[in-house]
Amino acid sequence: MVLEGSLIRDIESKKPHIQKGIIKWGEEHYRHFPWREKRTPYSVLVSEVLLKRTTASAAKRMYEKFMSLYPDLKALAKADKEKLEKLLETIGYHKRRTTILVEIANYILNKSDGRIPESREELLEIPFVGPYTANSILSLGYNIPAAMVDSNVERIIKRLFFKHLSKTASSRIVQKIADMLYLRDHHQEYNYALLDFGAAICRYGKPKCEACPIDESCDYYLLKAGS
Ligand code: SF4
């Protein structure tokens, strides 16, 4: 799949402004969560499963207890399912989440000798691991440059390049744009900043464009301002 030339030129011309604006905004608005401290590939993998379909504040309340009971893949694979379900009750979706966590742990222990893979291809072979989680493990767990694209980041990119992208533009196209746009030298800071920016400023529903540091590079904003 190839991006159109006009889109590529637009990405290249906006990139410096977007990178600078997002990094600076991120420095000033960094959100502290326990899963952002003392990260390992395992803690990143687990936190991504825990954070699905729940709020960060709900996950925050149980994360440390989870990590003390299940500090590694072996402990997770051997987990008493009822006990694990009980712990996960506070964040909902607990039966499914338990199955997912235990299945992932067993898969990695059996297929990769207990080592979480360092390649995107191998990560994507793990059950329930999609592109977002794979790139999170690479960037945040292994410090390997990768652009993390969750639904917040997808929304930001679709707004920034609104003139080029339909609402139904595929996730693969959005990932390609994200891959061109992100700051490789500071990928962790950039990824966190973009996640935080999506939650606080370029929100679902009504974005807070009046507080946006990259509005000059945003098709959605410029179209709205000119209409
Ligand atoms: Fe999002 Fe508005 Fe900023 Fe565009 S100008 S990126 S829509 S907050």
Side-chain angles (χ1 to χ4, degrees), residues 101-129:
L101 286 165
V102 173
E103 208 170 305
I104 287 176
N106 278 304
Y107 177 91
I108 298 172
L109 287 170
N110 293 331
K111 295 268 170 155
S112 318
D113 284 341
R115 172 140 178 91
I116 297 175
E118 286 179 54
S119 82
R120 186 177 151 88
E121 292 69 29
E122 285 177 280
L123 284 167
L124 289 172
E125 285 173 13
I126 301 171
F128 309 106
V129 169

Side-chain angles (χ1 to χ4, degrees), residues 22-140:
I22 288 297
I23 283 288
K24 185 161 186 303
W25 186 93
E27 281 168 7
E28 291 160 6
H29 299 90
Y30 180 80
R31 293 184 297 172
H32 291 272
F33 294 117
W35 49 87
R36 289 189 176 187
E37 319 299 328
K38 293 190 220 147
R39 293 184 310 262
T40 63
Y42 172 73
S43 73
V44 174
L45 171 57
V46 159
S47 62
E48 292 308 336
V49 177
L50 297 180
L51 282 163
K52 281 201 171 67
R53 298 196 189 193
T54 192
T55 61
S57 53
K60 196 174 170 180
R61 285 195 288 275
M62 52 73 66
Y63 177 79
E64 271 163 12
K65 184 162 186 202
F66 180 97
M67 290 304 282
S68 70
L69 290 170
Y70 310 104
D72 53 34
L73 287 165
K74 279 188 185 150
L76 189 54
K78 284 191 300 194
D80 176 296
K81 286 202 179 174
E82 273 182 34
K83 200 172 153 192
L84 179 52
E85 279 177 16
K86 188 87 193 139
L87 176 65
L88 297 177
E89 251 175 29
T90 52
I91 54 171
Y93 193 47
H94 48 288
K95 285 189 190 293
R96 185 76 180 134
R97 220 183 288 272
T98 296
T99 305
I100 290 172
L101 286 165
V102 173
E103 208 170 305
I104 287 176
N106 278 304
Y107 177 91
I108 298 172
L109 287 170
N110 293 331
K111 295 268 170 155
S112 318
D113 284 341
R115 172 140 178 91
I116 297 175
E118 286 179 54
S119 82
R120 186 177 151 88
E121 292 69 29
E122 285 177 280
L123 284 167
L124 289 172
E125 285 173 13
I126 301 171
F128 309 106
V129 169
Y132 172 73
T133 302
N135 281 4
S136 303
I137 294 168
L138 292 176
S139 173
L140 306 177

Side-chain angles (χ1 to χ4, degrees), residues 159-160 197 201-202 207-209 212 214-215 218 220-221:
R159 285 172 173 165
L160 288 171
F197 177 74
I201 304 292
C202 197
K208 290 167 83 175
C209 300
C212 179
I214 54 170
D215 55 352
C218 177
Y220 180 86
Y221 174 76

